[in-house]
């Protein structure tokens, strides 16, 4: 029925923030493929069961033609309005926070030995999501204003390249930046490391940033 909400497997955290503007319903079944794998310390039976459920879900999703948010049918674009003003000092502090975030969260990504962050401020950021015609439904597009947009490039040995675009001041972009970092870098259902995330609010305040870094993470040197 083309008038009912579109069933969707949400397997792309970067696109998920725009879903509330669309008439979709997220699957809470057949979703073992997007859930965290069983712990390494789990028994052999639990690991075999998890692998079997993932294979079964994968086949059923294909047979039922359930759309996936990660597919090309859902095209996300980000528009940056205004010239880019580079923020190299804040970018160096952001690299420290990203490393702490990965180390504190139990992420499957190895902590980055060297992580390059390119950070710039624009006058405005907008993110849009275009949904191609699916299951008898017409093409749709939604757009929203964002205050921070984070793009990450990962490799087998960890986080490599990060591009961060912000708009406004720290009080404007901090919440969006925290959301983006959590969605892109942390495993689902992870307990949030709030002391690490709070550092994002002080990327442009070196004195406060270094004070909190020394207080909460005494073994870590502040960026030069």
């Amino acid at each position: 029925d083309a008038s009912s909400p579109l069933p969707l497997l949400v397997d792309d955290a970067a696109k998920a923030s725009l879903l509330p503007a669309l008439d979709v319903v997220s699957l809470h079944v057949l979703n073992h493929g997007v859930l965290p794998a069983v712990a390494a310390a789990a028994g052999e039976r639990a690991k075999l069961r998890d692998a079997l459920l993932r294979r079964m879900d994968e086949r059923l999703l294909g047979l039922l033609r359930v759309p996936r948010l990660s597919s090309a049918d859902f095209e996300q674009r980000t528009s940056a309005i205004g010239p880019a003003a580079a923020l190299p000092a804040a970018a160096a502090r952001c690299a420290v926070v990203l490393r702490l975030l990965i180390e504190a969260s139990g992420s499957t990504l190895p902590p980055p030995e060297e992580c390059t962050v390119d950070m710039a401020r624009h006058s405005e950021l907008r993110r849009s999501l275009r949904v191609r015609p699916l299951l008898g439904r017409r093409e749709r597009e939604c757009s929203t204003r964002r205050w921070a947009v984070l793009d990450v490039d990962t490799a087998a040995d960890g986080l490599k390249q990060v591009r961060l675009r912000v708009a406004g001041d720290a009080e404007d972009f901090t919440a969006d930046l925290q959301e983006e970092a959590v969605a892109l870098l942390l495993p689902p259902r992870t307990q949030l490391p709030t002391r690490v995330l709070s550092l994002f609010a002080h990327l442009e305040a070196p004195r406060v940033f270094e004070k909190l870094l020394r207080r909460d993470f005494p073994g870590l040197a502040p960026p030069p």
Side-chain angles (χ1 to χ4, degrees), residues 93-149:
R93 296 183 197 102
C94 185
V96 172
V97 181
L98 293 175
R99 179 184 178 87
L100 286 170
L101 190 62
I102 291 172
E103 290 177 342
S105 67
S107 170
T108 56
L109 285 172
E113 293 300 328
E114 295 184 8
C115 172
T116 302
V117 177
D118 177 21
M119 182 175 177
R121 177 180 283 113
H122 296 266
S123 57
E124 185 177 340
L125 299 169
R126 296 202 68 85
R127 176 173 282 166
S128 62
L129 184 66
R130 182 169 69 93
V131 185
R132 296 176 180 173
L134 287 171
L135 304 180
R137 296 160 175 83
R138 59 182 177 81
E139 181 177 299
R140 290 163 292 164
E141 183 167 350
C142 63
S143 176
T144 186
R145 184 171 185 178
R146 297 290 290 176
W147 297 94
V149 173

Side-chain angles (χ1 to χ4, degrees), residues 166-187:
V166 299
D169 299 318
E171 57 264 32
D172 300 307
F173 66 70
T174 296
D176 279 1
L177 176 53
Q178 291 172 336
E179 288 178 3
E180 297 255 321
V182 167
L184 291 173
L185 299 176
L186 302 194

Side-chain angles (χ1 to χ4, degrees), residues 37-58:
V38 296
E44 193 63 30
R45 174 176 289 185
K47 293 178 181 178
L48 290 173
R49 178 177 177 274
D50 182 66
L52 176 61
L53 288 171
R54 289 172 185 268
R55 291 196 300 271
M56 290 172 61
D57 285 1
E58 187 70 23

Side-chain angles (χ1 to χ4, degrees), residues 9-115:
L9 179 68
V10 180
D11 59 349
D12 189 325
K15 299 178 184 178
S17 63
L18 285 169
L19 289 182
L22 298 171
D23 189 21
V24 300
V25 57
S26 302
L27 287 185
H28 295 286
V29 296
L30 305 181
N31 61 346
H32 287 90
V34 299
L35 296 177
V38 296
E44 193 63 30
R45 174 176 289 185
K47 293 178 181 178
L48 290 173
R49 178 177 177 274
D50 182 66
L52 176 61
L53 288 171
R54 289 172 185 268
R55 291 196 300 271
M56 290 172 61
D57 285 1
E58 187 70 23
R59 294 193 63 183
L60 287 169
L61 288 166
L63 289 171
L64 297 172
R65 298 171 56 216
V66 174
R68 300 166 182 257
L69 188 57
S70 61
S71 74
D73 292 320
F74 297 83
E75 181 185 358
Q76 180 174 274
R77 295 190 299 269
T78 301
S79 302
I81 301 168
L87 301 168
R93 296 183 197 102
C94 185
V96 172
V97 181
L98 293 175
R99 179 184 178 87
L100 286 170
L101 190 62
I102 291 172
E103 290 177 342
S105 67
S107 170
T108 56
L109 285 172
E113 293 300 328
E114 295 184 8
C115 172

